[in-house]
Amino acid sequence: MCSCEWSKAIKKFRLNKNGEGMQSTKSSVGIIANPLSGRDVRRLVTKASVFQNAEKSNMVLRMLGVLGKMGVDEVFMLPDVSGIASRVIHSLRHVRAAEASSLPRVTFLEMPIRDSAADSLKATELMKERGVSVIIVMGGDGTHRVVASASGDTPLLTLSTGTNNVFPEIREATITGLAAGLIASEKVRVKDVASRNKVVRCEVNGVRKDLALVDLAVSTECWIGARALWEATCLRELFVSFAEPDAIGLSSIAALVHPVHRSDAYGLRLVVAPPGEGFMTVHAPIAPGVLVPVSVAEISEIRPKEIFRVETPRGTIALDGEREIEFSDKDSVKVWLEMDGPLTVDVNKVMQKAAKNKVLVQQREG
């Protein structure tokens, strides 16, 4: 089905199901379920598991059930042609009448479907325009990076469905949906449970290019190619906003030497040397099933707004594990840490607040 035909199908569903247009009502939540997450080339070269779109659909349906119970009126969703949206629509059309009355209105955004990162970016912008209370993001580090670049002050709830999942949480979707519903219905105040994240930003020839939520890697490979970076032999510089020892991906190289928490007011910079030439060798899990030795020549803490010039003469820059930017010896590339990243919700804090205030407890009278 082409994107134009799919847009017609979505419009038909929305009118039949809801009888109204696209305007947000009292409380609304956005859901961006990236159909492409968990399907990059690392699935072939590292034998990583594939996160099926059927399960993503099931996750959405579980969240819709609890969102409705929390009083959320409307859920705006990213449309797609890969099966997530069609499965959700099919399930909602065949739900029992008693259950349907407790579900939120589901509206698929009217937007062109490019089957690329541009879809998540556009959906984020449209959800912000509609004033959603929170956006639930289902994807890996790359998906969350795209959404974070446009989310602004709209808080995000993260769900891991990608390849390298350092930034998003691995959590049951029901609890994430419940946390979103508690915030959207104002049973828990977002200011009590959300915080800003650090990001690594880069600039090429004076033009700001992009951000990384976890790590920015400088590689000697001169072409973007398949985008995903799963080898360390070409790695020369690594900047991380935080580094957790139990994480997988390039940030694990830094984490096994100098762990940095998400809330710490600094990040790290590593200079990677050819094999055997650094002052230490780190055996790091840089991809699923892949443990490689990495020679480290230098490691230092970096502070917010401290500018670093990329020393590698030419190559590519990978943002959260995906090569995005090519540069040559004629380009000036600057990298720095900022504290102005996306606002994310701590699900543990939400549920602790709900428990403390007995939000989900009904007292028996008499």
Side-chain angles (χ1 to χ4, degrees), residues 19 24-25 30 50 76 79 93 111 118 137 164 186 197 200 224 259 266 269 274 281 310 313 345 362-363 366:
S24 176
T25 54
V50 176
F76 293 101
R93 279 177 171 162
M111 52 178 276
V137 187
N164 282 9
E186 300 183 348
N197 290 263
V200 179
I224 290 174
Y266 65 91
R269 173 179 179 264
T281 298
V310 169
V345 173
Q362 185 175 4
Q363 300 286 357

Side-chain angles (χ1 to χ4, degrees), residues 314-325:
R314 63 195 303 257
T316 53
I317 293 175
L319 305 169
D320 295 324
E322 297 181 350
R323 286 170 289 187
E324 298 285 348
I325 302 169

Side-chain angles (χ1 to χ4, degrees), residues 125-264:
E125 295 170 346
L126 292 176
M127 289 174 184
K128 284 177 58 182
E129 290 176 8
R130 282 152 180 75
V132 298
S133 298
V134 295
I135 298 176
I136 299 172
V137 187
M138 297 168 56
D141 290 339
T143 304
H144 285 79
R145 177 176 62 81
V146 171
V147 174
S149 68
S151 59
D153 293 328
T154 302
L156 307 179
L157 280 133
T158 68
L159 263 180
S160 169
T161 63
T163 305
N164 282 9
N165 301 288
V166 180
F167 187 80
E169 295 181 328
I170 299 175
R171 185 183 296 277
E172 163 54 33
T174 306
I175 303 304
T176 300
L178 185 55
L182 288 166
I183 292 173
S185 60
E186 300 183 348
K187 294 179 175 67
V188 173
R189 297 184 302 180
V190 69
K191 69 176 184 178
D192 294 333
V193 296
S195 59
R196 288 283 174 191
N197 290 263
K198 295 176 285 185
V199 293
V200 179
R201 296 189 182 275
C202 69
E203 178 183 279
V204 180
N205 299 328
V207 179
R208 182 174 293 192
K209 286 293 185 180
D210 214 328
L211 61 83
L213 295 173
V214 184
D215 52 64
L216 181 151
V218 181
S219 164
T220 56
E221 292 186 332
C222 296
W223 297 277
I224 290 174
R227 292 189 181 276
L229 182 64
W230 68 89
E231 294 181 327
T233 54
C234 58
L235 187 63
R236 290 296 174 266
E237 297 174 66
L238 179 66
F239 299 83
V240 299
S241 61
F242 66 94
E244 300 171 332
D246 62 344
I248 195 166
L250 297 178
S251 69
S252 68
I253 302 170
L256 294 170
V257 179
H258 189 327
V260 180
H261 194 267
R262 294 181 189 227
S263 62
D264 290 336

